[in-house]
Amino acid sequence: MADPRGSSAPDLDILGDQVTLHPSGYVEPPQRPQDRDKEQNLVEHMARFRTSPLEFLREVSLHVSGTGWRAYNHFIGQPIFYNGFSDNMTAAVLSTPILQKQITELAEKRIAFEEKEGLLKPNDPSYAAKKTQRKNGIEHSLQELCEKMTGDMICKMESRPFIRGAYYMCTQLLTRAYHQGIHVSSEEVLRLRAVAREAEKNKQSIIFLPCHRSHVDYVSLQLICYRLGLALPTVVAGDNLNFPVVGSFLQHADTLLQGGFNFECFVEGGRSRTGKLLPPKFGILGFILDSILSGRVEDAIICPVSTQYDKVIETEGYVTELLGVPKKKENLADFLSASSILSLKLGRVDVRFHKPWSIRDFIREQRARTTSIPP
């Protein structure tokens, strides 16, 4: 086993802080009694100050100093940690031709409305100058609104120490609830890392499509990507789907896809309250498909993800909702104050990665099937 304090981002076999390096391609690791179907416990129960103060302090010092894989310096994917990343992403979104065209069209529609209401009078001697001035003012206001909303939805990923600290804190919280850790298939993860390397070379995005049963879904995926040295995916959720002016996430998705940045979205649209998968909503996937069909983006990689739990954290809340109690708005204070939940032993989380596939290849296959159907 490699020394965890000197190892870099692993090629896999991961068990807690112990990492075994493999050459490229899957090499079956030595069988151990605790192995089950080539599964590995990616995130184990971490040291607690009360029970093991020295080990706890050692873990904290390793994360603070960024020792080995914790530094997250050599991840697979496009660069996402540098000063000015957020500003550059915002500028890229605002400069998209589709957005600028939509702003111009909305300004023209507003001018037409004001003319109809008599606010702008064509018989006014200074009509042309006032119309131009008013149109420029409307476009400027829309630009400011877009800039503010884009800045709100762009991920702020400029601080590596913050990301390291967030990983440590999330792992601490998660392993308090799921004491048996996060389990993955080493073979699936090796395959995913190989695809990620190829996607990085071609500057293509990996679009993770997890099922959505719990808030832990996106937390566990972020932890896995960090631990395996993969570029963290941007989560498509909440206000990201309510972009003003354009009324869609298309511009931001284009920017991510054109830059080859990873992201994840939940095609179910919301969390399942029963454990069963919800009917898919193809909004964001439709935007992605349009980006590729239009030629704005060459290709992207889809990676379906399944997350299973022995028991979800939100079970009690789901029961009350199914009984007719209105859904309570989530807030961080309630989660952190729920010591009874964090102290529960909810078992384990199992994450499985389906074989990633190319959207461009999928389109070709569908077109070939269509043309081969006899009239």
Side-chain angles (χ1 to χ4, degrees):
M1 286 295 204
D3 184 349
R5 283 166 284 190
S7 61
S8 60
D11 263 340
L12 214 70
D13 176 12
I14 302 172
L15 185 62
D17 270 352
Q18 301 236 318
V19 177
T20 300
L21 300 180
H22 296 300
S24 55
Y26 179 68
V27 176
E28 186 170 345
Q31 291 296 312
R32 294 185 293 262
Q34 65 269 32
D35 286 347
R36 283 197 317 182
D37 300 326
K38 300 177 184 176
E39 292 180 358
Q40 300 300 326
N41 190 351
L42 193 64
V43 178
E44 286 188 312
H45 195 74
M46 303 182 72
R48 304 284 183 258
F49 181 77
R50 292 181 179 179
T51 57
S52 183
L54 294 179
E55 183 63 20
F56 173 83
L57 292 175
R58 186 187 78 85
E59 287 182 0
V60 172
S61 67
L62 290 174
H63 279 84
V64 171
S65 62
T67 302
W69 60 266
R70 299 168 185 82
Y72 200 59
N73 288 326
H74 307 292
F75 54 84
I76 303 172
Q78 302 306 315
I80 53 178
F81 292 104
Y82 59 86
N83 291 333
F85 170 82
S86 300
D87 291 339
N88 289 343
M89 287 292 292
T90 301
V93 171
L94 295 177
S95 64
T96 53
I98 298 178
L99 177 58
Q100 292 303 316
K101 179 182 177 181
Q102 189 71 26
I103 288 175
T104 300
E105 290 178 356
L106 285 175
E108 291 174 350
K109 289 180 179 179
R110 180 63 190 180
I111 291 296
F113 174 79
E114 292 184 0
E115 288 180 345
K116 182 179 179 181
E117 295 295 315
L119 300 176
L120 284 175
K121 300 179 180 179
N123 57 356
D124 190 325
S126 58
Y127 165 75
K130 289 182 178 179
K131 179 179 179 180
T132 300
Q133 183 180 10
R134 177 57 180 158
K135 183 173 181 290
N136 291 338
I138 294 172
E139 290 181 348
H140 180 71
S141 298
L142 291 174
Q143 288 279 7
E144 289 184 338
L145 179 61
C146 289
E147 183 174 1
K148 178 183 181 303
M149 296 302 293
T150 304
D152 290 342
M153 74 180 186
I154 292 293
C155 292
K156 308 301 189 292
M157 294 196 281
E158 300 186 3
S159 173
R160 215 178 297 263
F162 172 80
I163 295 297
R164 291 203 302 264
Y167 171 87
Y168 181 76
M169 290 301 298
C170 287
T171 306
Q172 283 279 353
L173 292 173
L174 191 62
T175 55
R176 286 178 184 271
Y178 292 97
H179 65 296
Q180 294 179 3
I182 301 176
H183 292 250
V184 298
S185 163
S186 57
E187 187 170 5
E188 292 173 359
V189 173
L190 279 171
R191 180 178 62 196
L192 175 60
R193 281 173 57 84
V195 171
R197 288 192 186 95
E198 189 68 20
E200 178 188 39
K201 183 174 67 175
N202 298 328
K203 204 173 182 181
Q204 294 173 352
S205 300
I206 298 178
I207 304 162
F208 294 96
L209 298 181
C211 57
H212 203 12
R213 295 184 175 90
S214 169
H215 282 307
V216 178
D217 297 335
Y218 46 82
V219 176
S220 60
L221 183 56
Q222 296 285 329
L223 294 180
I224 289 173
C225 288
Y226 183 101
R227 185 63 182 87
L228 298 176
L230 302 176
L232 298 179
T234 297
V235 181
V236 178
D239 289 340
N240 283 350
L241 295 178
N242 188 27
F243 192 50
V245 179
V246 182
S248 73
F249 188 72
L250 180 57
Q251 284 70 34
H252 190 195
D254 267 355
T255 303
L256 290 172
L257 289 168
Q258 290 169 350
F261 298 100
N262 299 337
F263 61 97
E264 64 175 291
C265 59
F266 301 95
V267 293
E268 296 166 86
R271 286 172 292 149
S272 169
R273 264 59 177 176
T274 64
K276 295 182 179 180
L277 294 177
L278 300 175
K281 299 178 180 178
F282 297 110
I284 184 63
L285 295 181
F287 298 147
I288 295 170
L289 192 63
D290 180 71
S291 298
I292 294 175
L293 289 173
S294 66
R296 296 191 299 271
V297 177
E298 176 61 28
D299 198 3
I301 307 299
I302 295 289
C303 181
V305 182
S306 171
T307 308
Q308 304 291 336
Y309 306 89
D310 285 350
K311 182 179 180 181
V312 296
I313 286 180
E314 300 93 340
T315 298
E316 293 183 7
Y318 289 169
V319 170
T320 57
E321 288 179 32
L322 292 172
L323 291 175
V325 178
K327 177 185 175 183
K328 183 180 179 182
K329 184 177 179 60
E330 294 100 350
N331 61 80
L332 182 61
D334 285 348
F335 178 77
L336 294 179
S337 64
S339 57
S340 59
I341 293 179
L342 295 179
S343 63
L344 289 177
K345 296 185 181 298
L346 300 178
R348 56 188 271 170
V349 181
D350 287 272
V351 180
R352 294 292 178 266
F353 296 91
H354 189 273
K355 183 179 180 180
W357 47 272
S358 159
I359 297 181
R360 175 66 66 184
D361 290 345
F362 174 78
I363 293 173
R364 291 195 188 102
E365 291 174 4
Q366 296 306 307
R367 284 176 172 171
R369 289 179 58 186
T370 302
T371 56
S372 63
I373 296 176

